[in-house]
Amino acid sequence: LSDVSWEQRLREAGYRLTPARRAVLALLSRAEGPLPPGEVLRRARALCPGLGRATVYRTLSLLVRLGLARAVPGPGGLHYVRAEEGVHRLVCQGCGAELVLELCLAGGLAEELARRYGFSIRGHVLEFYGLCPDCQKGE
Amino acid sequence: LSDVSWEQRLREAGYRLTPARRAVLALLSRAEGPLPPGEVLRRARALCPGLGRATVYRTLSLLVRLGLARAVPGPGGLHYVRAEEGVHRLVCQGCGAELVLELCLAGGLAEELARRYGFSIRGHVLEFYGLCPDCQKGE
DNA sequence: ATCCATGCAAATTCTTTGCATCGCG
DNA sequence: CGCGATGCAAAGAATTTGCATGGAT
């Protein structure tokens, strides 16, 4: 998804394209991983000075509703990532270390689910949980 | 995972087996899906009257650390499920409706990840996000 | 008997809401 | 211009922490 198609999707759904939304959108695009709302605010202010906390929350939940972003469990609550077709992570339960995986095996499955349940599938999350080599020692 | 093996795992890790922990453990076992902490408290009090809110939070995060439970994104924050080998859901981004899926396709992959990254894999989450038939109309 | 775990309540942090104003379309 | 979107501040939830007490081992 390019930034342009994001903007189109907002418009299609009847929402306005504002500096605040552009900033959050752009920020999530560049982020290297899931971010908590507070961090989204901090970083987005570089792109949109004076941005308010409430707007970040409103924008994040709008983006999730539209399928442009996704919430994943993280330290201290929900973290947000740009919704690509799939999110694939390997997370250590000991230290929280996180690896982004390059695989994808859910494509065909998504189609079957769409058929079977009538869902329009927008994306998926595949996360593996375990202990990294270091944390296995401490166990 | 049976309740018994949960208890053993707590002990192995050097933690005490208390009524509060037993209650939360038992509750998650019977739950039909992920629950928010407040709901865990409400239900667990049936099994352990006088259970405190703080204890629920402490217990949930302990269970996650030990790999006995897992946090997933839900309305209003994190929800918790008993960690089985895998969690598989189909979630509507419009209304929050949730279907539990019976499939599993991650088994072989887990082994490869263990080999490649040295992780000890304890479980996984596979979630599909989209719009249910009803919410597609409103779009 | 020893400490870990608990319950309570306060402190802190996170999220939502109300409302006047601003600015996109 | 009109109405949706914003920022601020206050309200409301959710989560964490400190500490004296109770209970598991």
Side-chain angles (χ1 to χ4, degrees):
Chain A
L1 266 56
S2 70
D3 288 13
V4 171
S5 71
W6 283 30
E7 303 188 352
Q8 288 182 353
R9 181 134 177 59
L10 265 187
R11 282 222 191 71
E12 285 167 17
Y15 295 97
R16 292 180 182 172
L17 190 50
T18 64
R21 287 172 179 165
R22 237 190 263 271
V24 173
L25 241 50
L27 201 170
L28 289 181
S29 286
R30 307 172 189 174
E32 67 300 327
L35 302 175
E39 184 61 16
V40 171
L41 175 63
R42 204 180 64 70
R43 298 193 190 190
R45 275 185 166 156
L47 304 171
C48 177
L51 175 65
R53 197 190 320 283
T55 298
V56 168
Y57 281 99
R58 286 186 283 232
T59 301
L60 288 174
S61 87
L62 173 64
L63 295 181
V64 168
R65 256 195 332 265
L66 292 179
L68 297 175
R70 209 172 302 297
V72 299
L78 301 179
H79 288 46
Y80 295 83
V81 256
R82 169 182 160 178
E84 320 194 35
E85 190 195 329
V87 175
H88 312 91
R89 307 190 296 162
L90 176 54
V91 181
C92 178
Q93 295 178 323
C95 61
E98 182 184 308
L99 286 168
V100 174
L101 305 177
E102 297 306 334
L103 49 85
C104 181
L105 73 179
L109 206 50
E111 289 175 22
E112 189 190 327
L113 293 175
R115 240 192 337 275
R116 193 186 315 178
Y117 298 106
F119 262 64
S120 140
I121 306 251
R122 295 272 172 79
H124 62 264
V125 172
L126 174 57
E127 297 169 321
F128 289 89
Y129 291 94
L131 293 178
C132 68
D134 284 349
C135 290
Q136 287 175 52
K137 297 171 195 160
E139 257 267 300
Chain B
L1 264 54
S2 72
D3 287 12
V4 172
S5 71
W6 282 29
E7 303 189 351
Q8 286 181 352
R9 180 132 177 59
L10 265 188
R11 281 223 189 71
E12 285 167 16
Y15 295 97
R16 291 181 182 171
L17 191 50
T18 64
R21 286 172 180 166
R22 238 190 263 270
V24 173
L25 241 50
L27 201 172
L28 289 182
S29 286
R30 306 172 189 173
E32 68 299 329
L35 302 175
E39 184 61 16
V40 171
L41 174 64
R42 203 181 64 71
R43 298 193 190 189
R45 273 185 168 155
L47 304 171
C48 177
L51 175 64
R53 199 191 319 283
T55 298
V56 168
Y57 281 100
R58 286 186 282 232
T59 301
L60 288 174
S61 87
L62 173 65
L63 295 180
V64 169
R65 256 197 328 268
L66 292 179
L68 297 175
R70 210 173 302 297
V72 300
L78 300 179
H79 289 46
Y80 295 83
V81 256
R82 168 181 162 179
E84 321 195 34
E85 190 195 329
V87 174
H88 311 92
R89 308 191 295 162
L90 176 54
V91 181
C92 178
Q93 294 177 324
C95 62
E98 181 183 309
L99 287 168
V100 175
L101 305 177
E102 297 305 335
L103 49 85
C104 181
L105 73 179
L109 206 49
E111 289 176 22
E112 188 190 328
L113 293 174
R115 241 194 333 276
R116 193 187 313 178
Y117 298 106
F119 262 65
S120 141
I121 307 252
R122 294 274 171 79
H124 62 264
V125 172
L126 174 56
E127 297 170 321
F128 289 89
Y129 292 94
L131 293 178
C132 70
D134 284 349
C135 290
Q136 286 174 53
K137 296 171 195 158
E139 257 268 299

